Amino acid sequence: MAMLCPVGVMAPSLNCRAPAEYCRDIAAFVEASEHNDERSFVEEEVNKPLLGEGSPRASEMMREEHRRMACQAQDIIQQKMKFLSGRRGDLNRTETSELLRDTCQAIEDLATGLEERWLQANPGQPMPSWPLTRIPEDELARIGWDFHANRVQMLNTGGSVWETIAMLLSGDQQASFAKPPSCVAVASALNRAAARLRDEIREGSEVDGAL
């Protein structure tokens, strides 16, 4: 932006009566104004909805954040796999259940921050299906584990409502749940989940589809 001085008060080098410091003050003011305008534009861009059409940079930041969370989830799963492979004997079903509960809780904690950030930027909009949680949910469901409830799945007995109520009143509530998965089944499910997360981190295709 060109530096302007009031008429009749130009600096001595330009045949005006005002000292040069006066024009330098005006130049500094103009420069500060331009800087503030630029900063306001950046802040406005950052504050746009993360997944909004008007902010592709912020949308990319969200994808990168998901990839970072997926890397951490993969590390968590690999640590559990290393623990299983390092044991001389297999875990019993109670121990495998505890391992799965720890794994699911750790991944859910990662997803919580991601979901909160998305909801703040997109209030009232439905939550995307994050591969971060969808992948372990899919693989653990195959061995009878409910990722979000963090326990074995409930069985669909196919009986009537009254039969279900009678079973619950009998006190045999364990009969309505699947058996805890074996150590071999858990290891296989974790291995599949880790492989899918690794592909997701490398390609990012599922993330792009979710966003």
Side-chain angles (χ1 to χ4, degrees):
M1 180 179 291
M3 183 182 69
L4 301 177
C5 291
V7 176
V9 291
M10 298 295 290
S13 60
L14 299 178
N15 299 321
C16 59
R17 296 186 297 274
E21 288 79 3
Y22 184 86
C23 291
R24 284 198 295 268
D25 290 343
I26 294 179
F29 174 78
V30 171
E31 182 179 357
S33 298
E34 291 176 340
H35 176 72
N36 289 335
D37 290 342
E38 181 181 357
R39 185 174 60 182
S40 297
F41 173 79
V42 172
E43 291 175 351
E44 181 181 355
E45 178 70 13
V46 171
N47 289 330
K48 287 181 180 179
L50 290 177
L51 303 183
E53 295 181 356
S55 184
R57 182 177 64 84
S59 181
E60 179 60 28
M61 288 173 60
M62 197 68 182
R63 283 191 286 267
E64 289 300 326
E65 179 70 8
H66 180 275
R67 292 188 186 100
R68 188 173 69 85
M69 294 294 102
C71 285
Q72 294 187 33
Q74 185 190 24
D75 289 342
I76 291 171
I77 293 175
Q78 288 178 334
Q79 290 174 8
K80 300 301 183 182
M81 293 171 57
K82 184 177 180 179
F83 171 76
L84 290 175
S85 63
R87 290 179 58 88
R88 293 183 178 179
D90 290 344
L91 300 178
N92 59 42
R93 292 182 184 269
T94 299
E95 291 171 330
T96 56
S97 295
E98 286 298 321
L99 182 142
L100 286 176
R101 275 191 282 269
D102 289 343
T103 304
C104 293
Q105 185 60 56
I107 296 175
E108 283 276 23
D109 290 343
L110 293 175
T112 297
L114 191 69
E115 292 172 353
E116 289 178 349
R117 181 180 177 187
W118 192 89
L119 287 173
Q120 288 174 358
N122 301 270
Q125 296 187 23
M127 180 73 65
S129 177
W130 304 108
L132 170 66
T133 54
R134 187 177 68 246
I135 289 174
E137 178 183 3
D138 290 347
E139 296 303 334
L140 294 181
R142 295 174 60 180
I143 62 173
W145 190 265
D146 189 321
F147 175 82
H148 294 288
N150 211 357
R151 56 163 171 73
V152 291
Q153 295 174 338
M154 293 191 68
L155 295 175
N156 183 8
T157 60
S160 67
V161 174
W162 294 111
E163 290 175 340
T164 303
I165 293 176
M167 181 182 62
L168 294 175
L169 292 177
S170 69
D172 187 16
Q173 298 185 12
Q174 293 297 325
S176 62
F177 292 94
K179 291 183 179 180
S182 67
C183 184
V184 173
V186 169
S188 179
L190 293 180
N191 184 61
R192 292 193 301 269
R196 288 181 61 186
L197 283 171
R198 183 169 57 250
D199 292 341
E200 171 60 41
I201 294 166
R202 183 174 61 251
E203 299 175 3
S205 57
E206 292 189 75
V207 175
D208 293 338
L211 302 186

